Amino acid sequence: MKTATPTMARAINDRLALDLLLDRGPLTAPQLRDLTGLSRPTVSDLIERLRADGLIEVTGESGADRRGPNARLYGVVAGLAHVAGVDLRRGAVHVSVADIAGTVRGTASRRVPPDPELGALVADAVVDAAGGVTPHTVVVGAPGLIHPRTGAAAFGKLPGGRPDLRTVIADRVGVPVVLENEVNLAAIAEHREGAAVGHDDFVLLWLDDGIGAAVVLDGRLRRGASGGAGEVGLLKFGGTDFCGLMETGFARGLGPEALADRIVEGVFALVAVLDPGLVVLGGAVGGGGGDRLAALVAARLGDLSLAPTEVRPSLVAGDAVLRGAVLTALDLARDAVFG
């Protein structure tokens, strides 16, 4: 085992402090010492270094009756970089732009017409949401298979979808673009901020205008060899594929009991193969059913499976796909900016 060099140790300490400032908001030097376990001189040095590099700044003071260096609150310079997350659906495009601290600075939406120039539509929405700033990174969530190594896309019924969509968008916005399956991004949001916090193994079953699943095992998103992991909508039950059973229009007309009867078919297939321990129901149908639907599915699953499995509704506020896209873009931008 090699001993860390002084340069490496400083880089590790700097990133630890930056991550704490991002996670907890502005902190004082004593608070940074308590949270990092680093010595007073080490924290003083890293604060001066990060300020000199333009990464952090004084944002105020802690306590009305306190004065002096120990009362100063330090925060990340939010405008260092911005990112854009995109939720690309069959009928609409939604964009959210956030600064590097994670604060949303702009949003935009566009309707998807029947025969769109999709790359231009997405790019225009990103530019609109960015409001004059240039995003460091754009992450797009879309329905379909995205090859994990080549980035080639197969979109099926997405209007205007084309294999080189990522490249087309990147050429128009002039910054790096990452294309990812939309359910995978929703799973990232659930893992970081929603129903799967603290769970290294879970499956997100997405029940919306598209049907699919995202698989997280050992804390890692599993995409499969060609990006097709989790395509549960293609499974057939009684001669009808699961996607047909769960089509949004029909599913919304069912009562909770009948809906749970259908959902458990797909859930059991996932549990029987993966034994994830937790299934999160997401999308308008799955998450919209709340705790009652999750409990009904769990009861039916208990009659079918020997593997103990918890079933929960999505807990991500708002658009889980969009939130997952922003979180993924923030991870990439922060690694690039902070090291």
Side-chain angles (χ1 to χ4, degrees), residues 43-193:
V43 170
S44 295
D45 287 346
L46 75 81
I47 286 175
E48 291 308 311
R49 188 164 55 248
L50 294 175
R51 289 185 69 185
D53 289 342
L55 300 180
I56 67 171
E57 61 186 353
V58 177
T59 61
E61 290 191 345
S62 175
D65 57 346
R66 297 184 60 188
R67 295 293 183 269
N70 282 342
R72 292 174 186 161
L73 285 166
Y74 299 96
V76 170
V77 178
L80 281 169
H82 292 77
V83 301
V86 180
D87 179 6
L88 175 55
R89 303 290 181 97
R90 293 178 178 87
V93 177
H94 305 290
V95 180
S96 180
V97 170
D99 61 35
I100 202 166
T103 301
V104 175
R105 297 298 184 182
T107 62
S109 294
R110 294 284 190 279
R111 184 181 62 84
V112 177
D115 188 21
E117 177 52 57
L118 202 54
L121 186 69
V122 172
D124 288 347
V126 169
V127 171
D128 186 14
V133 303
T134 300
H136 178 282
T137 304
V138 177
V139 173
V140 180
L145 270 63
I146 316 298
H147 198 288
R149 283 174 290 282
T150 68
F155 292 115
K157 298 179 180 179
L158 180 68
R162 48 190 287 182
D164 62 345
L165 181 62
R166 183 196 65 79
T167 303
V168 173
I169 297 171
D171 288 344
R172 285 183 170 271
V173 297
V175 302
V177 173
V178 175
L179 186 63
E180 178 62 273
N181 174 268
E182 93 276 33
V183 185
N184 286 345
L185 291 176
I188 289 171
E190 292 293 348
H191 197 199
R192 299 270 286 274
E193 301 179 348

Side-chain angles (χ1 to χ4, degrees), residues 230-294:
E231 289 297 323
V232 68
L234 302 177
L235 295 175
K236 291 189 179 296
F237 302 98
T240 303
D241 59 35
F242 188 59
C243 190
L245 288 175
M246 293 307 308
E247 186 181 33
T248 307
F250 294 138
R252 283 178 172 161
L254 297 174
E257 298 279 350
L259 185 57
D261 288 340
R262 291 192 179 189
I263 292 174
V264 77
E265 299 279 4
V267 170
F268 176 57
L270 291 165
V271 169
V273 174
L274 299 172
D275 186 19
L278 171 66
V279 174
V280 178
L281 303 180
V285 174
D291 291 331
R292 184 185 180 193
L293 179 61

Side-chain angles (χ1 to χ4, degrees), residues 205-208 263 281-290 293-294 312-314:
L205 180 59
W206 187 256
L207 305 171
D208 207 287
I263 292 174
L281 303 180
V285 174
L293 179 61
R312 297 179 181 177
S314 168

